[in-house]
Amino acid sequence: MIQATSQPKKPLLRALSGESLSPPPLWLMRQAGRYLPEYRKIRATAKDFLQFCYTPDLAVEVTLQPLRRYGMDAAILFSDILVVPDALGQKVQFREGEGPVLEPVDSPEKLSCLGIGRLRDHLAPVYETVHQLSREIPQQTTLIGFAGSPWTVAVYMVEGRGGTGCGKIRAWAHRAPDDLQKLIDLLVEATAVHLVQQVENGVEVIQLFDSWAGVLGESQFRRWVIAPTAALVGRLRQACPDVPIIGFPRGAGLMYEAFANLSGVDAIGIDSAVPVDWAAANLQGKSTVQGNLDNQALVVGGKALEMETRRILEALAAGPFIFNLGHGVLQETPPEHVHRLVELIRG
Ligand code: 1CP
């Protein structure tokens, strides 16, 4: 029998299993994207954003671009959270300058038109991208797969777009919770299938993006954020028990602690509004913490970037920690500021 040579465990995986590393591992949400000239060049060759996500050669290339420049500790699959509603049969478009636009699913009748049957075939190009990436990324780099959490994907499906304040879905949640529950249950199921396929093709870590978790009151947060996340995490634990899961309930505020205690995730992504000393005292004891540099400090650079980065490291780097932003890299970010950030963390 051939003995496998044991590779030292990758830094991101060590941090996720509870080790405190110095320097901490580093990656950035939206590390691939429009702030990079090499991304804009490739993006210009694809007329439609979803088709771009479904073209493995292009998706592999843009996933690798930030690694070549900066050597982050992780690569995140280039895709989008809205490929799931697209695969369920909802009409999803990305309009130039406008972001995603969906034909709203806001009644049981519209919900009954959606189904999970075509999901795997429809998303086969995404799994092919994962497969290629798992062979191409550097040895010490971890491949992260992701999906939107059921609540956040439901927000886009019901509202038809982002940035609405989520009034329609919040009203639906109070008026006909059993109907919304059917949509959430469908998303738990679809998201579990989508993530298990990613794992089977080579992702090593999963991140769940709950970008609109912060719009809900306490009882609603427990029902629509914590409960579906816990159900999804349970499904993933059964299918792939060794894959760590990072939860990012953006804007959860005082509910971050309940989320950490009840959702079952291994690590918590914190947004920039979360006080870092509070996170060290209340979250780091039970979970690895990831975050939370203000993405505008990265746009501004200089002293602001240095001070904010040091403040976060002082509070969190003594415990299990992954350096990241509090939300994604902004389009207007000068690429050299990301370079400076990597130097500050590793220097
Ligand atoms: O044409 C373009 O280049 C559009 C910009 C873009 C990019 C680069 C979109 C449209 N999606 C993506 C890729 C993407 N989206 C990734 C992969 C790469 C990486 O992180 O490096 C990931 C993880 C996402 C996740 C995503 N999509 C989220 C969750 C994170 C977050 O930003 O809160 C959300 C909410 C979306 C929806 C979406 N997709 C694109 C846009 C402009 C939006 C947001 C719309 C809104 O503000 O409501």
Side-chain angles (χ1 to χ4, degrees):
M1 200 167 137
I2 302 169
Q3 190 131 30
T5 44
S6 67
Q7 298 289 350
K9 203 168 167 185
K10 304 176 183 190
L12 193 87
L13 295 174
R14 290 173 58 194
L16 284 168
S17 61
E19 278 186 65
S20 312
L21 304 183
S22 179
L26 156 81
W27 71 281
L28 305 178
M29 293 184 277
R30 289 279 169 97
Q31 62 189 22
R34 293 193 169 208
Y35 76 106
L36 289 176
E38 59 269 36
Y39 173 88
R40 295 196 295 270
K41 198 166 155 208
I42 293 199
R43 178 71 182 87
T45 67
K47 60 178 193 310
D48 176 89
F49 181 72
L50 277 176
Q51 279 318 311
F52 182 41
C53 292
Y54 297 150
T55 308
D57 288 349
L58 300 183
V60 167
E61 172 56 24
V62 296
T63 304
L64 296 175
Q65 286 174 344
L67 297 189
R68 294 197 193 107
R69 268 191 192 246
Y70 310 113
M72 277 94 171
D73 291 286
I76 181 160
L77 162 70
F78 190 85
S79 177
D80 199 84
I81 65 167
L82 299 179
V83 300
V84 169
D86 185 51
L88 290 173
Q90 188 173 16
K91 191 166 174 217
V92 180
Q93 284 178 293
F94 283 85
R95 297 199 190 136
E96 206 50 52
E98 219 185 314
V101 180
L102 298 82
E103 215 155 79
V105 171
D106 45 13
S107 65
E109 295 70 41
K110 289 189 187 156
L111 183 54
S112 67
C113 300
L114 305 179
I116 211 166
R118 296 168 302 246
L119 186 134
R120 258 182 249 222
D121 286 344
H122 192 86
L123 298 181
V126 176
Y127 312 135
E128 172 58 26
T129 302
V130 171
H131 184 70
Q132 286 188 31
L133 281 169
S134 70
R135 288 178 306 185
E136 290 189 33
I137 61 166
Q139 216 175 58
Q140 285 299 301
T141 310
T142 303
L143 182 58
I144 302 177
F146 73 92
S149 297
W151 165 253
T152 283
V153 176
V155 165
Y156 286 94
M157 292 178 78
V158 173
E159 302 282 329
R161 55 184 67 219
T164 58
C166 312
K168 207 164 136 186
I169 190 171
R170 285 188 291 127
W172 199 22
H174 290 295
R175 191 186 306 118
D178 295 346
D179 288 343
L180 179 57
Q181 189 68 51
K182 292 193 182 94
L183 172 57
I184 294 288
D185 290 346
L186 175 69
L187 285 169
V188 168
E189 181 80 21
T191 308
V193 172
H194 182 44
L195 289 169
V196 170
Q197 287 300 306
Q198 292 182 40
V199 170
E200 286 183 355
N201 282 279
V203 310
E204 300 163 284
V205 170
I206 287 165
Q207 174 150 327
L208 300 173
F209 286 92
D210 219 342
S211 306
W212 299 108
V215 302
L216 293 172
E218 177 182 354
S219 64
Q220 302 290 292
F221 185 94
R222 290 183 189 275
R223 175 154 188 186
W224 306 114
V225 171
I226 295 181
T229 303
L232 179 56
V233 168
R235 299 281 301 266
L236 296 168
R237 296 284 185 229
Q238 270 187 340
C240 35
D242 300 328
V243 175
I245 302 168
I246 306 169
F248 177 46
R250 185 170 71 96
L254 289 179
M255 295 308 289
Y256 259 108
E257 206 174 354
F259 182 90
N261 288 333
L262 301 171
S263 67
V265 300
D266 302 277
I268 309 283
I270 54 172
D271 61 76
S272 304
V274 176
V276 279
D277 292 325
W278 180 89
N282 296 286
L283 302 177
Q284 239 176 355
K286 35 202 170 225
S287 317
T288 298
V289 168
Q290 171 176 284
N292 73 341
L293 181 72
D294 183 351
N295 53 11
Q296 291 290 356
L298 191 59
V299 172
V300 171
K303 277 269 168 299
L305 176 61
E306 283 174 27
M307 278 167 50
E308 289 301 300
T309 301
R310 295 218 165 91
R311 194 176 59 77
I312 292 168
L313 289 174
E314 275 163 25
L316 290 165
F321 177 55
I322 298 163
F323 196 97
N324 206 313
L325 301 178
H327 200 190
V329 178
L330 296 166
Q331 195 177 326
E332 58 271 31
T333 305
E336 62 275 16
H337 291 181
V338 177
H339 232 280
R340 178 71 188 126
L341 174 63
V342 174
E343 245 172 42
L344 284 168
I345 306 287
R346 296 195 173 147

